[in-house]
Amino acid sequence: MNLPPPLDPVRHALFLDFDGTLVELVDRPEDVQIAPHAVARLAAIQTACDGAFAVISGRRIADLAHLLAPLRFAAAGVHGLERREVPDGEVMPLAGPAALDAIRLVLSIGVTEEPRLRLEDKGTGLVIHYRGYPELEPVARELVTRAVQDEPGFSVMRGDNIVEVHLAGMDKGKAIAAFMTREPFVGRVPIYIGDDTTDEFGFAAVKALNGVSIKVGDGLSEADFRLACVDSVHRWLGVEPVTGEDSMKEAS
């Protein structure tokens, strides 16, 4: 495994995916949790990097803000269709939910007909989940394909137990490239860590900027470096492991 170099907060800008990178994947995305001491470490990294820190996720920024509270951070959500350029700034949607209304209707009917599928509505993106039912992958793909049909201007992406559709023209890589043109990111060497096929756009963007691309887990990837799992990401970030006593304190 080609392990990544250590983070240098003086010269690096750090971009992190969330699910599968900072937290383990779970059947219900709303059930995910991140330990308070891990959030505290991210806050310390953000300070050390002079603010050149952002979360780049398929989740909505509002959900990320809740999960990572009290940390305030720059972010791109829904694969870049939402953006918060500064930690205390407003969330700027780059597209409205109404454009997906026709597709939303077809997907809603589809998950009613096959209740083992689950529809997640992000407003600017729609996701069909089939986690726990891998045999439904072709059903999920066919449903999204049928919903989109030949409508122009939409992008369909396949990820870990999901099929997602949103307006075309934005992805995680373009979001990272946009951040890198602004302070405090400009002039730094970008690092991006992600685990899924949708993160390949991010890897390509940082490689184009002579940055550091880090894939979490197995599978084909354009990333130059690897970390084995979420725990490996935490160790690379310097998140201290929790002892049994510390775990009880965090849970209380």
Side-chain angles (χ1 to χ4, degrees):
M1 182 175 292
N2 193 16
L3 295 176
L7 174 67
D8 181 352
V10 174
R11 67 186 189 93
H12 285 146
L14 181 60
F15 300 93
L16 296 171
D17 174 42
F18 187 74
D19 294 280
T21 298
L22 285 175
V23 296
E24 300 287 355
L25 296 170
V26 298
D27 289 343
R28 288 164 42 91
E30 59 269 30
D31 292 340
V32 78
Q33 294 182 351
I34 183 168
H37 76 284
V39 176
R41 176 57 186 158
L42 295 178
I45 290 172
Q46 181 185 52
T47 299
C49 289
D50 199 23
F53 169 90
V55 180
I56 312 293
S57 175
R59 286 185 184 257
R60 297 183 309 143
I61 292 175
D63 296 333
L64 293 169
H66 172 72
L67 291 164
L68 289 167
L71 179 64
R72 299 284 293 175
F73 51 93
V78 198
H79 306 280
L81 285 170
E82 293 182 346
R83 197 174 302 161
R84 185 165 71 190
E85 295 183 343
V86 295
D88 293 313
E90 296 295 322
V91 174
M92 299 180 297
L94 302 186
L100 289 164
D101 280 350
I103 295 172
R104 183 178 286 109
L105 176 60
V106 176
L107 295 182
S108 298
I109 294 171
V111 297
T112 301
E113 295 172 345
E114 175 46 86
R116 291 176 295 174
L117 296 176
R118 190 170 67 84
L119 172 61
E120 180 187 2
D121 192 336
K122 301 177 182 178
T124 52
L126 301 167
V127 187
I128 295 295
H129 293 260
Y130 55 90
R131 185 171 299 281
Y133 304 99
E135 69 276 11
L136 293 182
E137 178 182 359
V139 178
R141 290 188 181 187
E142 192 279 331
L143 173 59
V144 173
T145 299
R146 174 160 46 90
V148 175
Q149 295 184 350
D150 295 324
E151 289 287 335
F154 295 99
S155 177
V156 175
M157 295 190 298
R158 295 192 294 270
D160 191 340
N161 289 279
I162 65 166
V163 186
E164 180 165 352
V165 57
H166 54 72
L167 292 172
M170 183 53 64
D171 56 51
K172 291 182 176 182
K174 291 176 181 176
I176 291 170
F179 274 118
M180 288 299 298
T181 65
R182 301 177 60 89
E183 294 290 350
F185 301 92
V186 67
R188 288 174 171 258
V189 176
I191 296 177
Y192 182 55
I193 310 179
D195 73 301
D196 206 351
T197 54
T198 60
D199 295 305
E200 294 298 318
F201 296 104
F203 299 149
V206 299
K207 290 178 72 172
L209 294 168
N210 296 315
V212 179
S213 51
I214 305 172
K215 161 79 171 177
V216 182
D218 299 325
L220 294 174
S221 177
E222 293 299 317
D224 291 324
F225 301 96
R226 295 271 182 163
L227 289 169
C229 59
V230 170
D231 282 346
S232 301
V233 175
H234 284 204
R235 287 193 294 271
W236 184 84
L237 292 170
V239 177
E240 294 295 331
V242 179
T243 64
E245 183 178 341
D246 290 336
S247 178
M248 292 175 61
K249 289 179 181 178
E250 287 200 349
S252 63

